[in-house]
Amino acid sequence: MKPEKLEAAAVRWHGRLETETIGMKLADAQLALALLTSLRAGDSDAIDLLRRQLRRLKPTLTSRLD
């Protein structure tokens, strides 16, 4: 995937996370963005951390990370 498409997809994913999570805090949003940035940079550990954050936040729709 081209870097610009990956970045756009990450922004869309983050937007969905925010709209599908009840009571999301600013720190949660910042962490998700930081993890998406790390993932885009090639940090494979970021996906596991995103999964942990999703389990904790419990968005209303099932994520595609699992």
Side-chain angles (χ1 to χ4, degrees):
M1 184 179 276
K2 293 182 180 180
E4 61 274 3
K5 289 191 177 217
L6 184 58
E7 184 155 338
V11 170
R12 282 191 309 275
W13 185 90
H14 186 265
R16 285 191 63 187
L17 178 65
E18 286 187 354
T19 60
E20 295 173 9
T21 303
I22 297 169
M24 187 172 189
K25 306 274 191 246
L26 180 59
D28 296 322
Q30 289 173 324
L31 176 58
L33 284 172
L35 291 170
L36 288 167
T37 300
S38 293
L39 188 61
R40 184 179 179 266
D43 180 4
S44 60
D45 293 331
I47 194 74
D48 290 329
L49 295 170
L50 273 171
R51 284 181 178 131
R52 285 176 47 193
Q53 188 183 33
L54 285 173
R55 282 193 293 273
R56 187 176 53 76
L57 293 174
K58 298 179 179 142
T60 56
L61 296 177
T62 306
S63 77
R64 294 184 181 186
L65 287 178
D66 289 328

